[in-house]
Amino acid sequence: MSAEPIAPSSASGSSQDVLEWWRNGVIYQVYVRSFQDSDGDGVGDLDGVRSRLPYLRSLGVDGVWLNPFYASPQHDHGYDVADHRAVHPEYGDLDAFDRLVRDAHRLDIKVIVDVVPNHCSIEHPWFEEAVAAGPGSPERGRFHFADGRGEYGELPPNNWRSIFGGPAWRRISEPDGSPGQWYLHTFAPEQADFNWRDPDVADHFEEVLRFWLDRGVDGLRIDVAHGLHKREGLPDHPFAIDDELTGDPVNPYAWNQPEVHDVWRSWRALAEGYSERTGRPRALIGEVGLLDAAQLADYQRPDELHQCFFFEFLRAPWDAEEFSKVIDRGLGTVAAAGSPVAWVLNNHDMPRSVTRYAGGAPGVAHGDIDLGLTRARAAALLMLALPGSAYLYQGEELGLPEVTDLPDHVLTDPMFRRTDGARRGRDGCRVPLPWAAGQDSFGFSPLGTPVPTWLPQPEWFAHHSVDRQLGSGESMLQLYREAIAVRRRVPALSSVRFRWLPADSGVVAFTRGDGVACVVNCSPRPVCAPVGSQLLLGSDPEVGEKLPPNTAGWFLLEVAR
Ligand code: GLC
């Protein structure tokens, strides 16, 4: 940025200021399996999460989103649900869940749980009943069972690919032992897709929603929210599939069917009923994996989901022009639908931002991790300065890089197996957290735990441990704590008002509310801070009148002082 005085140039957003918690909340995603083990089995659990609530309180987040902890054979770590209303024994039980909600609410932390409506485990009683009941039965009608193609039905019913690799169909044996029908599985073969045209399915999920809302949850994160309905007749995918290994995220017959919006309207009405009756706003947050921002915006129309993750931001490379375009799309398309953008830099499905920004191939090569860390610090200030809500993924606040060298034999992601190792999968961002540098398992499991953590932690996790970072004023953890605190304290940062500032190429600069500027320097040269401004927070101790490359700062502008 030049040393020219900064003047707001164009505006987006409206003058409406923030109301419900989900509109500008900072939500912390807990991958329960990897957060904190309370009972010494090497696997995280709900009581472990509860024991760390004070940590989350001091981080300053508004809520937690818990990845699935339901009864499940764990082929996809809980996204293969066998009973949506029971807790998987490794993670605790319903009493542990109730304790967690109670304590979280005492600390004013909202609780969001995951709902997985697209599919269930093949160990779900409904699926077992469907196999037993035979072709044409109402039980099979709850899923997508179809006869195979070929003379003997030996070929899958259509050409769809599974997102985790291979065909999206598996053949069963009929109860008499003969080779039978096929069922659709968009993900792993252990995850059978529901047929949302069968009213039993909608009724079942309404009960599931009520079950968790009655237990006091504040929000529901909805898995694969664009995928519930499939095109009637399940026609072949019409185009050549580029990716031979895994499924096509834009298969026009598998995703984004118009009927899905009816589901969100009815869920919204149900959630609003709870909000009105209890006076506590309940929110629906969609995982909508569509690449088109306009299509995504449709999911957050005023009578549909409250908000959806904005994954374009997570996918953007370290590049000012890309960031600016993506932010414009978020604010201009998604937010224009009347709902705030849910910004996200990390989650349990993607290589961690430190590694993505490190200049190496994401998830494969290490690149320059120090560079990645410096940029991830700046990206955190960028995200937390944007209007809308922000979703952090556990370990992001510790600056954890992806663990890229887990040995093959410990990998658990179905993607690894289904692609014969060509895709290493997502285990590298799911390694149990380091809490205390000097302890076994870095404090993840209780002292004296005889078993190893479910995924091995690398030695270098010690440098990222919570205890070390609490002792260092300049750690990533302290930066996140401070940024969240400033965001709460400075009203401009809770405003929906946003204006781009004129800036040199390689620089992202905008104002929020009345007089706070965020400047991110993605260029290779130092840039000047806004003239006459006062630094509120820098991503790096060097940020002051100038911002070195790969840094960001929040500034109080002269007009506001
Ligand atoms: C979502 C989840 C992912 C899971 C998949 C299948 O994308 O985020 O972890 O594997 O759905 O349920």
Side-chain angles (χ1 to χ4, degrees):
M1 174 186 300
S2 63
E4 293 293 304
I6 281 174
S9 63
S10 64
S12 61
S14 78
S15 61
Q16 178 208 358
D17 268 317
V18 176
L19 304 165
E20 296 101 334
W21 62 268
W22 48 271
R23 289 188 172 272
N24 71 335
V26 178
I27 308 298
Y28 185 96
Q29 179 190 351
V30 172
Y31 198 70
V32 177
R33 197 171 180 80
S34 301
F35 190 66
Q36 175 70 59
D37 169 19
S38 75
D39 58 0
D41 60 359
V43 171
D45 47 52
L46 294 174
D47 273 333
V49 179
R50 189 166 64 91
S51 72
R52 294 295 185 184
L53 286 173
Y55 168 79
L56 296 173
R57 178 67 288 150
S58 63
L59 182 58
V61 297
D62 298 283
V64 288
W65 149 33
L66 305 169
N67 278 114
F69 49 81
Y70 314 113
S72 157
Q74 302 291 320
H75 288 288
D76 188 19
H77 293 317
Y79 283 100
D80 48 324
V81 180
D83 183 348
H84 240 121
R85 285 167 286 190
V87 175
H88 185 63
E90 276 182 326
Y91 302 139
D93 54 21
L94 282 173
D95 287 341
F97 178 79
D98 291 342
R99 285 195 292 273
L100 172 56
V101 173
R102 184 199 60 206
D103 287 8
H105 284 168
R106 280 185 185 153
L107 292 173
D108 202 16
I109 294 174
K110 314 278 186 245
V111 178
I112 299 168
V113 298
D114 223 304
V115 180
V116 191
N118 181 66
H119 46 263
C120 67
S121 163
I122 56 171
E123 293 182 28
H124 191 290
W126 273 14
F127 190 82
E128 291 173 347
E129 285 163 29
V131 172
S137 60
E139 288 84 352
R140 286 215 179 164
R142 293 164 172 162
F143 298 91
H144 294 285
F145 277 92
D147 294 333
R149 291 178 176 176
E151 202 177 342
Y152 307 102
E154 72 279 14
L155 300 173
N158 72 17
N159 67 355
W160 296 4
R161 312 278 301 171
S162 147
I163 292 292
F164 290 157
W169 294 90
R170 175 174 272 188
R171 195 172 195 186
I172 59 160
S173 293
E174 296 299 345
D176 66 2
S178 61
Q181 287 194 303
W182 299 69
Y183 66 88
L184 179 71
H185 60 87
T186 302
F187 294 90
E190 294 83 6
Q191 295 163 297
D193 282 47
F194 283 116
N195 172 16
W196 269 85
R197 296 178 198 282
D198 185 315
D200 280 1
V201 176
D203 292 349
H204 168 67
F205 275 98
E206 190 174 320
E207 283 170 28
V208 168
L209 297 194
R210 289 187 188 284
F211 181 84
W212 294 106
L213 289 165
D214 285 339
R215 293 195 106 83
V217 304
D218 303 277
L220 302 156
R221 178 268 187 191
I222 300 159
D223 194 54
V224 198
H226 56 307
L228 308 195
H229 292 77
K230 277 72 185 177
R231 180 67 58 89
E232 195 98 61
L234 306 175
D236 270 340
H237 186 305
F239 315 121
I241 300 169
D242 289 342
D243 186 339
E244 282 301 311
L245 288 172
T246 56
D248 178 356
V250 291
N251 178 347
Y253 300 146
W255 308 114
N256 196 33
Q257 302 304 298
E259 300 88 332
V260 78
H261 293 285
D262 297 335
V263 178
W264 306 138
R265 285 189 199 101
S266 87
W267 286 30
R268 176 70 178 249
L270 193 147
E272 294 301 338
Y274 272 84
S275 306
E276 278 156 28
R277 272 199 305 284
T278 60
R280 287 178 33 225
R282 317 291 176 107
L284 305 173
I285 301 111
E287 184 212 30
V288 176
L290 297 170
L291 307 177
D292 180 324
Q295 290 178 350
L296 178 66
D298 284 347
Y299 286 75
Q300 20 189 112
R301 285 177 286 205
D303 59 346
E304 298 200 31
L305 303 176
H306 293 78
Q307 59 187 171
C308 301
F309 300 118
F310 191 59
F311 292 129
E312 277 201 55
F313 188 59
L314 178 154
R315 288 195 212 99
W318 179 259
D319 180 275
E321 276 61 48
E322 290 293 329
F323 278 137
S324 306
K325 273 194 245 160
V326 162
I327 292 166
D328 262 341
R329 268 201 295 279
L331 297 177
T333 317
V334 178
S339 172
V341 181
W343 306 99
V344 51
L345 281 173
N346 289 281
N347 67 24
H348 65 294
D349 291 329
M350 295 300 289
R352 287 187 178 273
S353 55
V354 169
T355 304
R356 294 202 313 271
Y357 297 145
V364 182
H366 270 294
D368 178 347
I369 288 299
D370 286 342
L371 174 66
L373 192 59
T374 308
R375 289 175 171 174
R377 293 172 67 98
L381 290 199
L382 171 60
M383 175 170 71
L384 291 168
L386 289 169
S389 58
Y391 280 74
L392 317 180
Y393 173 51
Q394 66 177 45
E396 171 179 340
E397 81 284 15
L398 304 178
L400 286 184
E402 185 82 359
V403 182
T404 53
D405 55 358
L406 288 168
D408 289 4
H409 71 272
V410 305
L411 296 179
T412 64
D413 189 340
M415 196 181 286
F416 178 68
R417 198 169 20 92
R418 300 273 304 163
T419 62
D420 287 329
R423 298 273 156 81
R424 294 193 66 75
R426 302 160 291 174
D427 291 287
C429 65
R430 300 173 176 180
V431 176
L433 287 194
W435 294 95
Q439 289 180 20
D440 289 346
S441 74
F442 302 123
F444 171 72
S445 292
L447 281 176
T449 291
V451 294
T453 54
W454 74 274
L455 279 173
Q457 301 160 301
E459 281 308 311
W460 50 262
F461 256 36
H463 304 299
H464 294 272
S465 65
V466 171
D467 64 344
R468 283 210 185 157
Q469 298 208 32
L470 286 176
S472 150
E474 289 167 13
S475 66
M476 184 74 142
L477 178 55
Q478 300 290 23
L479 177 71
Y480 267 88
R481 284 162 63 130
E482 225 175 311
I484 295 170
V486 174
R487 178 180 156 112
R488 264 178 199 274
R489 197 175 66 231
V490 176
L493 287 166
S494 310
S495 157
V496 292
R497 288 201 302 282
F498 174 95
R499 279 167 192 266
W500 285 116
L501 293 172
D504 284 353
S505 92
V507 178
V508 182
F510 55 86
T511 59
R512 292 295 310 287
D514 294 321
V516 169
C518 172
V519 181
V520 185
N521 183 9
C522 303
S523 82
R525 57 190 184 281
V527 298
C528 292
V531 169
S533 65
Q534 182 186 311
L535 182 69
L536 271 174
L537 186 62
S539 67
D540 185 282
E542 303 285 300
V543 173
E545 286 175 9
K546 294 212 158 146
L547 293 102
N550 304 308
T551 64
W554 292 352
F555 299 91
L556 204 52
L557 296 176
E558 214 166 20
V559 346
R561 289 192 282 134

